[in-house]
Amino acid sequence: MTPPHRRTLPCLPAYGIVLTLMTLLSTSACTQDKPPVPATATTAPALTTPQAELLALTRFTNYRRGATQVTADIPVQGRIARLTGRLDWRHGAGLAILQGNGGFLEHGRHLLRWDRTTVSVQRNWTEPLPTHPPRDGWIQRALTTRASTIDTTLLLLLDLAADRPDNAQLLLHSGARRVGHEKVAGVPVTVFTGPSSATPQGTASGAARTGPGRTRYWIDADGRLRRFSARLGGGTEWLVATLSV
């Protein structure tokens, strides 16, 4: 797929899983039948070294996969919008159909393509998801994560991949936790909460506290991310994204 403006994935710091995701979550606001993780998340023990290594490799594993199918339920103004499409992690771009439910898309079914800086929309899309984005008919604008949970979601989905592993030793002391075991589409997974603070350049000082347990990762035994969830902004509802393998 060809993004609106192709950009090379940035060289992320070793603590990238904290800096990229937590920065997005602190600037933005799917519910499901049960909480995304067990209620014991805040009292779960710290990660072991093998668990930290598994979590540290997750975004790099996604990058090596190159692409994935995604279905995401996005909280929008008290309701849920559903995004269904493809992520091109190697090139930092996405193509998906959004069943709009409030926000800048109002209502309807729309085709979206995006990269890390812009999103383009074809409103009232009636066809299936195309193999390649159409050449014409797009309305393009800059992503605005401070005002839109949809835009925040688009960036979060791209930032689930990185061209190098995160630092497992730093994750050991980041507040990340293993909170249980579940199954996603019949596949056993380990459930982790993400880091609870961002430490620029991996240093011990200057941490920007973000609150514990705002991200969730469902990772299988091969290190593949099967599901991702995030509590956006100060809201209580959760983005929930399920990824194919």
Side-chain angles (χ1 to χ4, degrees):
M1 102 188 38
T2 303
H5 297 288
R6 177 167 294 184
R7 300 180 68 208
T8 303
L9 283 171
C11 294
L12 297 171
Y15 212 57
I17 200 167
V18 180
L19 290 175
T20 55
L21 299 185
M22 288 304 160
T23 298
L24 289 173
L25 292 176
S26 65
T27 60
S28 70
C30 158
T31 56
Q32 52 187 25
D33 293 337
K34 61 180 182 177
V37 296
T40 56
T42 57
T43 59
L47 297 179
T48 65
T49 296
Q51 291 166 356
E53 291 172 347
L54 179 65
L55 187 58
L57 284 171
T58 298
R59 295 199 305 150
F60 183 54
T61 299
N62 288 343
Y63 180 78
R64 290 190 299 179
R65 286 167 60 184
T68 188
Q69 302 290 320
V70 61
T71 299
D73 287 337
I74 309 169
V76 180
Q77 299 178 350
R79 294 169 289 183
I80 297 298
R82 171 157 287 191
L83 184 81
T84 306
R86 296 189 300 272
L87 302 174
D88 181 351
W89 277 322
R90 286 289 179 89
H91 298 104
L95 179 69
I97 291 172
L98 180 71
Q99 187 69 41
N101 195 353
F104 78 93
L105 288 176
E106 299 176 347
H107 298 278
R109 186 174 182 268
H110 314 282
L111 183 66
L112 272 62
R113 66 173 184 176
W114 72 96
D115 60 17
R116 297 180 187 279
T117 60
T118 62
V119 57
S120 299
V121 182
Q122 295 215 17
R123 295 177 181 271
N124 302 314
W125 184 261
T126 59
E127 302 296 324
L129 184 72
T131 303
H132 302 287
R135 291 182 177 272
D136 303 312
W138 296 101
I139 301 171
Q140 181 176 292
R141 63 169 179 78
L143 286 174
T144 54
T145 58
R146 290 185 178 275
S148 170
T149 55
I150 292 175
D151 287 16
T152 300
T153 296
L154 299 181
L155 280 177
L156 283 172
L157 293 175
L158 295 183
D159 280 329
L160 292 175
D163 60 359
R164 66 192 65 187
D166 292 303
N167 189 313
Q169 290 300 311
L170 292 177
L171 284 173
L172 281 171
H173 307 288
S174 69
R177 296 288 188 268
R178 180 194 64 79
V179 292
H181 297 281
E182 296 181 13
K183 288 186 178 180
V184 176
V187 177
V189 294
T190 302
V191 186
F192 295 91
T193 63
S196 60
S197 66
T199 307
Q201 306 299 323
T203 61
S205 62
R209 303 303 300 179
T210 58
R214 296 187 62 186
T215 54
R216 311 283 192 264
Y217 305 83
W218 285 253
I219 303 172
D220 68 19
D222 295 322
R224 292 173 295 192
L225 184 65
R226 298 279 181 157
R227 180 173 293 159
F228 169 76
S229 184
R231 190 173 71 235
L232 302 184
T236 59
E237 293 183 315
W238 292 76
L239 154 71
V240 179
T242 300
L243 310 166
S244 69
V245 175

